[in-house]
């Protein structure tokens, strides 16, 4: 009984304590109404400021820009480019000429007979006589076989009488065609002409030949045009220079004359291009014609040698982009002939990429030398730089 009263009093006291705490609690704060939110762009500086300082990791660090490889121009060797026959592949330490192959000789010589008209370079020119100027062959035309006659008869030329001849070809029979035609109205279809009837004729030859006989004895002959002997079909030696080869007319001032051109040369991979340029220009350069117009007798300008040096610029297609005179020969018309020969000879196809400079141009010097000793002779030479 006493325990039940104690439990009831403890329960009532607990309820009273809870009521007191509920009464003395602070009031709940009132919630604010929702407000509108606006978005605006941020600069990269504001974004970095908001993020704060961050340590750059190797993944986020910017890699340095790659270095551009500088194209070093290829060094051009010193020396004059010459066109010579294939060498013996032996190196000559003191060689001052550049060619397509190495070559070593005991004594350097240049051919007495040189030409600008050749197919391939050879030590000697095949022509028996030196050719001046344009290189046209002065030899006679090819021989035609015959018997010194006037016609086309294989029998020898002989005088005699003429036999009478009556030769007729075959003729087919033709029927008569007689149609009444209206001159004012041609009518449709193919126009047909009237003709008389003719009989078939059996002839004795393939052509009509009527010849009145005269004189007595055997019939004469007019012979065949040409001279006796075999026909000469071989081209002249001067023409063979252009087919087979000859000694190129490079200007070799300090080299003694000899039976052929034999030089100490160093191999340069671009020599073939300059040799092609030389061949093409050589066939278009004709200083003799320009000199003959102004000095037909050779008494005014033929007193000394003439040397013109030009500076040539080619584009990547091998066309002349610019050409200037570096050294005049003293005669403006010969200087202009040198310049115009380059323009006539262009283009010079397939310039080697190794010769192209940064602006895709090829630049080199080219010399024209006219030797007046013993008459005008052509000499061409060029330098790679």
């Amino acid at each position: 009984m006493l325990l039940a009263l104690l439990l009831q009093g403890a329960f009532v006291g607990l309820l009273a304590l809870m009521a007191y705490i509920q009464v003395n609690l602070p009031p709940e704060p009132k919630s604010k109404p929702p407000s509108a939110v606006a978005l605006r762009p941020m600069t990269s500086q504001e974004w970095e400021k908001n993020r704060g300082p961050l340590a750059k990791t190797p993944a986020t660090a910017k890699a340095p820009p790659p270095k551009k490889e500088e194209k070093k121009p290829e060094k051009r060797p010193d020396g004059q480019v010459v066109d010579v026959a294939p060498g013996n592949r032996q190196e000559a330490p003191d060689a001052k000429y550049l060619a397509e192959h190495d070559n070593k000789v005991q004594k350097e010589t240049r051919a007495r007979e040189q030409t600008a008209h050749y197919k391939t370079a050879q030590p000697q020119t095949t022509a028996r006589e030196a050719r001046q100027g344009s290189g046209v062959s002065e030899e006679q035309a090819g021989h035609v076989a015959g018997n010194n006659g006037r016609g086309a008869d294989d029998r020898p030329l002989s005088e005699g009488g003429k036999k009478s001849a009556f030769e007729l070809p075959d003729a087919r029979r033709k029927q008569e065609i007689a149609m009444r035609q209206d001159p004012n109205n041609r009518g449709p279809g193919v126009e047909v002409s009237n003709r008389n009837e003719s009989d078939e004729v059996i002839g004795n030859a393939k052509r009509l030949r009527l010849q009145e006989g005269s004189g007595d004895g055997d019939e004469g002959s007019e012979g065949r045009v040409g001279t006796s002997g075999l026909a000469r079909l071989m081209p002249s030696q001067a023409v063979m220079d252009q087919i087979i080869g000859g000694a190129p007319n490079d200007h070799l001032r300090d080299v003694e004359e000899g039976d052929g051109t034999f030089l100490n040369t160093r191999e340069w991979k671009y020599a073939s291009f300059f040799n092609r340029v030389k061949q093409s220009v050589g066939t278009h350069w004709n200083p003799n014609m320009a000199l003959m117009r102004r000095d037909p007798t050779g008494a005014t300008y033929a007193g000394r040698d003439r040397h013109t040096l030009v500076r040539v610029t080619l584009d990547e297609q091998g066309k002349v982009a610019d050409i200037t005179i570096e050294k005049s020969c003293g005669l403006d018309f010969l200087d202009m002939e040198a310049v115009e020969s380059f323009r006539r000879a262009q283009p010079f196809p397939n310039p080697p990429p190794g010769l192209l400079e940064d602006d895709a141009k090829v630049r080199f010097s080219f010399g024209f030398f006219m030797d007046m000793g013993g008459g005008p002779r052509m000499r061409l030479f060029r330098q790679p730089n």
Side-chain angles (χ1 to χ4, degrees):
M1 184 73 177
L2 179 60
L3 181 58
L5 291 175
L6 290 174
L7 290 174
Q8 186 176 3
F11 178 74
V12 173
L14 180 60
L15 291 177
L17 179 61
M18 292 180 63
Y20 175 77
I21 293 174
Q22 183 70 25
V23 173
N24 292 283
L25 285 176
E28 294 181 2
K30 295 182 179 179
S31 59
K32 295 181 180 180
S35 59
V37 178
L39 299 178
R40 66 180 183 87
M42 295 179 65
T43 64
S44 59
Q45 291 80 4
E46 292 175 338
W47 177 257
E48 292 292 338
K49 185 177 180 180
N50 287 342
R51 295 184 63 190
L54 296 176
K56 292 185 178 180
T57 61
T60 59
K62 293 183 179 179
K67 294 183 179 180
K68 294 183 179 180
E69 295 182 1
E70 296 182 359
K71 182 181 179 182
K72 295 182 180 180
E74 187 172 347
K75 184 180 179 181
R76 298 186 184 181
D78 297 330
Q80 178 184 338
V81 181
V82 294
D83 198 2
V84 292
N88 52 21
R89 305 286 182 175
Q90 297 182 12
E91 295 184 3
D94 58 343
K96 60 181 180 180
Y97 298 105
L98 305 177
E100 300 178 30
H101 307 282
D102 289 325
N103 189 50
K104 184 178 180 180
V105 296
Q106 295 295 330
K107 182 181 179 181
E108 291 186 325
T109 59
R110 59 182 172 91
R112 296 185 182 89
E113 300 172 0
Q114 297 174 320
T115 176
H117 302 262
Y118 64 94
K119 182 66 175 177
T120 56
Q122 297 293 335
Q124 300 155 333
T125 302
T126 58
R128 291 188 296 270
E129 298 179 359
R131 291 181 290 135
Q132 308 289 340
S134 62
V136 178
S137 173
E138 301 294 337
E139 300 188 20
Q140 297 179 354
H143 167 254
V144 178
N147 54 16
N148 299 315
R150 301 184 298 270
D153 193 349
D154 291 332
R155 295 178 298 170
L157 179 66
S158 62
E159 299 293 337
K162 290 184 179 180
K163 293 184 178 180
S164 60
F166 184 79
E167 299 177 357
L168 292 175
D170 295 340
R172 293 181 298 177
R173 182 176 181 278
K174 298 180 180 179
Q175 295 180 349
E176 180 183 8
I177 298 178
M179 302 182 64
R180 183 177 180 181
Q181 300 176 343
D182 185 356
N184 298 325
N185 185 12
R186 179 177 175 276
V190 180
E191 183 177 0
V192 179
S193 301
N194 293 336
R195 70 184 181 190
N196 296 327
E197 182 180 5
S198 62
D199 294 332
E200 181 181 7
V201 177
I202 300 177
N204 57 358
K206 294 183 179 180
R207 63 177 181 176
L208 177 63
R209 179 171 177 252
L210 301 176
Q211 178 177 298
E212 184 179 359
S214 63
D216 298 330
D218 297 334
E219 184 180 9
S221 172
E222 293 186 351
R224 180 178 291 277
V225 175
T227 58
S228 58
L230 298 176
R232 189 176 62 195
L233 304 179
M234 188 70 177
S236 68
Q237 294 295 325
V239 175
M240 289 296 292
D241 284 347
Q242 304 179 34
I243 300 175
I244 299 177
N249 60 340
D250 286 303
H251 175 56
L252 307 172
R253 181 178 55 185
D254 300 328
V255 180
E256 296 181 7
E257 277 192 353
D259 294 334
T261 299
F262 303 97
L263 303 172
N264 290 320
T265 59
R266 286 176 290 143
E267 182 177 356
W268 188 39
K269 59 183 177 181
Y270 301 131
S272 60
F273 172 74
F274 288 103
N275 286 330
R276 285 192 286 113
V277 172
K278 183 249 181 178
Q279 280 185 292
S280 182
V281 174
T283 58
H284 290 84
W285 183 46
N286 190 5
N288 296 297
M289 185 65 67
L291 191 62
M292 291 275 298
R293 292 196 197 101
R294 292 163 177 80
D295 187 15
T297 61
T300 305
Y301 301 124
R304 63 185 181 89
D305 298 341
R306 301 291 176 176
H307 175 207
T308 301
L309 184 65
V310 296
R311 184 69 175 174
V312 184
T313 302
L314 304 179
D315 60 18
E316 54 187 347
Q317 280 79 36
K319 298 180 180 179
V320 175
D322 185 39
I323 181 170
T324 57
I325 298 175
E326 286 190 345
K327 181 182 179 299
S328 173
C329 70
L331 300 177
D332 56 349
F333 58 88
L334 288 183
D335 292 339
M336 292 308 301
E337 172 62 21
V339 171
E340 291 303 319
S341 66
F342 251 98
R343 300 192 185 279
R344 292 192 295 265
Q346 68 173 331
F348 309 100
N350 303 322
L355 291 176
L356 298 177
E357 299 181 3
D358 294 337
D359 57 352
K361 297 292 191 298
V362 180
R363 293 177 175 85
F364 58 93
S365 295
F366 197 105
F368 298 82
F369 188 87
M370 192 168 182
D371 185 3
M372 296 295 183
R377 292 183 295 170
M378 291 192 296
R379 295 287 191 272
L380 279 78
F381 77 98
R382 57 252 173 258
Q383 297 169 334
N385 48 19

